[in-house]
Amino acid sequence: MTKICVFGAGAIGGYIGARLAMKGEAEVSLVARGAHLAAMQANGLTLRQAGETQLVRPRVTDDPRTLGPQDFIILAIKAHGVQGIIGDLMPLIGSDTAILFAQNGLPWWYFHGIGGPLEGTRLESVDPGGEIWNRLGPERAIGSVVWQAAELEAPGVVAHHYGDRMPIGEPTGEKSARASLLSGLLTAAGIKSPVRPNLRNEIWLKLWGNLSFNPVSVLTGGTLVDLATDPGTRRVIRVMMEEARAVAMALGVSFAVDAEERMEMAAKVGAHRTSMLQDVEAGRPTELEALLGVVIELAGIVKIGTPSLQLVYDLCKFRCRRA
């Protein structure tokens, strides 16, 4: 049976782990910590979804050394936390272990398998010193785009709010055996995970909203619907999105929707406070580099000016540092 470890079994990781455990087609283990870990060890993991409550009891630990090498690791911690847990991942990694990165933002492996003159380019904003690239290796990476929203209601209790799509893809674009296997397991568990030949387009589609709405929410305190409907914030977000689109298109990315449609996608989510705003208010590190800093770094690579992105980044970085 395929062995899958969900490392970082909080809201999204807990949701993925619970769905896989319920289906029972893989041997699922979860790595968590603190009160959430203790609650799952004592009472199992409760998933609330679509008006139903389900309880699963996968293997749960805070010590990856007890689990041994896995076929797949689903890494569901925020991008800025990866360098700090590389050592903890090592006991889970065998010769053929693949790592699915279930994270927001532009990934550290972006220029692996892309071909052309930028092949192998390292991104300092999301992988300082190339530590992830050097120690984990981009050949292990499988990308994903997480469109679900979930929250940790209480220790041991995950509530899924919306979304059932999590497309995945190899950095090379190939439909590999390992990607097809993982896609089948996730889809059978109720998480729509087709293998995309060009996942980078969908990464940018989600990033397009996150790089603009999230930092502006930190500066204003507004919800998604607030920011999308206020004329002033909507104007700022549109300019940010157009600057970012120029960078993406210079890298060969195409967008399935225009800026107005992407803003409407955000507005339909409603009175949602972005995760970045919640992190700032809680005094936690944020995803600013993975969502916006990295786009400014890319703009330097392709030699495109992004004055609005830089302005919002500088203000947001100050706000995050003060928090």
Side-chain angles (χ1 to χ4, degrees), residues 3 7 10 17 29 51 69 78 83 86 90 110 157 208 218 230 260 271 303 322:
K3 297 180 70 175
F7 194 107
S29 58
K78 292 185 177 179
Q83 284 197 347
I86 291 175
M90 290 305 175
Y110 191 84
V157 181
W208 210 18
V218 168
D230 177 82
E260 293 296 317
K303 296 180 170 50
R322 289 291 297 269

Side-chain angles (χ1 to χ4, degrees), residues 113 167-175 194-202:
I168 68 174
E170 292 278 4
T172 60
E174 65 181 309
K175 191 170 184 179
V195 180
R196 299 290 196 213
N198 190 346
L199 189 69
R200 289 174 180 85
N201 286 348
E202 194 151 352

